[in-house]
Amino acid sequence: GENVEQHPSTLSVQEGDSAVIKCTYSDSASNYFPWYKQELGKRPQLIIDIRSNVGEKKDQRIAVTLNKTAKHFSLHITETQPEDSAVYFCAAKGNEKLTFGTGTRLTIIP
Amino acid sequence: ETGVTQTPRHLVMGMTNKKSLKCEQHLGHNAMYWYKQSAKKPLELMFVYNFKEQTENNSVPSRFSPECPNSSHLFLHLHTLQPEDSALYLCASSQASLNTEAFFGQGTRLTVV
């Protein structure tokens, strides 16, 4: 089955700096890669996603890149703000099953 | 609100009790999932149902028993649980076979005493 690895598990960045979270997946059949943000006490919510026919996607301060050959994808957050502090999960979908990474706790230091 | 509702929000049960968690979605999705979230494993897939059929059982102990009577409802029946089963149980739904997001419920915070 699919195995998704996510790094780092914790990340602290100064407000205004950029944050990068990386994920790898094992199943070459996976073709959909969403990123979720989970704030304390709340449910995970989608912030951006990318499909396998695209190498990069951007939405304001958030961007995701995908390298299908290497089977890795990354989340980039620029100009970080305190409200970006949360746990971020990457996921890979293949065979109709959504498998999540182990999460990254991002802390923005004011 | 994401259209996925879980009840109860909090549950405390003894190890000999039997209880059920309920999930309901009003999004017209045909796939539903149970995830367990704990400090050890942040988002661990437990069960997947596509078109009411169970397609995935991720080596979950038999003290957890899922039920999917229709595409809109998903239950997780609990019996003789252990304290280490205490966790947040999240339900999610999506449109199977489409590359679209899964929507999560608020979760049930389960404490086994």
Side-chain angles (χ1 to χ4, degrees), chain A residues 28-61:
Chain A
S28 56
S30 290
N31 52 17
Y32 174 64
F33 307 92
W35 286 87
Y36 284 78
K37 175 183 180 183
Q38 187 175 25
E39 296 176 359
L40 191 63
K42 296 189 177 180
R43 73 188 87 195
Q45 290 193 284
L46 182 80
I47 54 171
I48 194 167
D49 56 13
I50 191 167
R51 292 168 178 79
S52 59
N53 58 345
V54 175
E56 185 174 355
K57 183 177 177 181
K58 190 173 181 180
D59 182 4
Q60 297 181 5
R61 297 186 297 109

Side-chain angles (χ1 to χ4, degrees), chain B residues 26-87:
Chain B
H26 304 284
L27 301 168
H29 290 162
N30 49 28
M32 296 186 78
Y33 313 80
W34 279 117
Y35 286 89
K36 176 183 177 182
Q37 188 168 50
S38 62
K40 277 188 177 181
K41 292 189 178 182
L43 261 180
E44 182 183 4
L45 180 65
M46 299 175 72
F47 300 104
V48 180
Y49 277 83
N50 285 329
F51 298 95
K52 302 186 299 176
E53 298 296 322
Q54 187 181 124
T55 57
E56 186 79 21
N57 177 337
N58 210 23
S59 303
V60 181
S62 59
R63 57 185 184 270
F64 295 90
S65 174
E67 179 190 0
C68 189
N70 55 62
S71 295
S72 300
H73 294 85
L74 184 66
F75 295 89
L76 188 62
H77 304 299
L78 316 170
H79 64 97
T80 58
L81 293 192
Q82 305 297 312
E84 59 265 28
D85 296 323
S86 298

Side-chain angles (χ1 to χ4, degrees), chain A residues 47-110:
Chain A
I47 54 171
I48 194 167
D49 56 13
I50 191 167
R51 292 168 178 79
S52 59
N53 58 345
V54 175
E56 185 174 355
K57 183 177 177 181
K58 190 173 181 180
D59 182 4
Q60 297 181 5
R61 297 186 297 109
I62 297 173
V64 58
T65 58
L66 171 65
N67 183 328
K68 281 214 75 181
T69 304
K71 293 201 210 117
H72 65 70
F73 55 114
S74 301
L75 177 72
H76 304 252
I77 306 174
T78 58
E79 300 171 26
T80 52
Q81 300 169 4
E83 53 265 36
D84 295 330
S85 293
V87 178
Y88 291 81
F89 293 95
C90 64
K93 188 175 185 182
N95 295 323
E96 303 179 357
K97 186 174 89 170
L98 192 61
T99 302
F100 285 86
T102 48
T104 297
R105 183 173 298 281
L106 175 64
T107 303
I108 307 302
I109 305 165

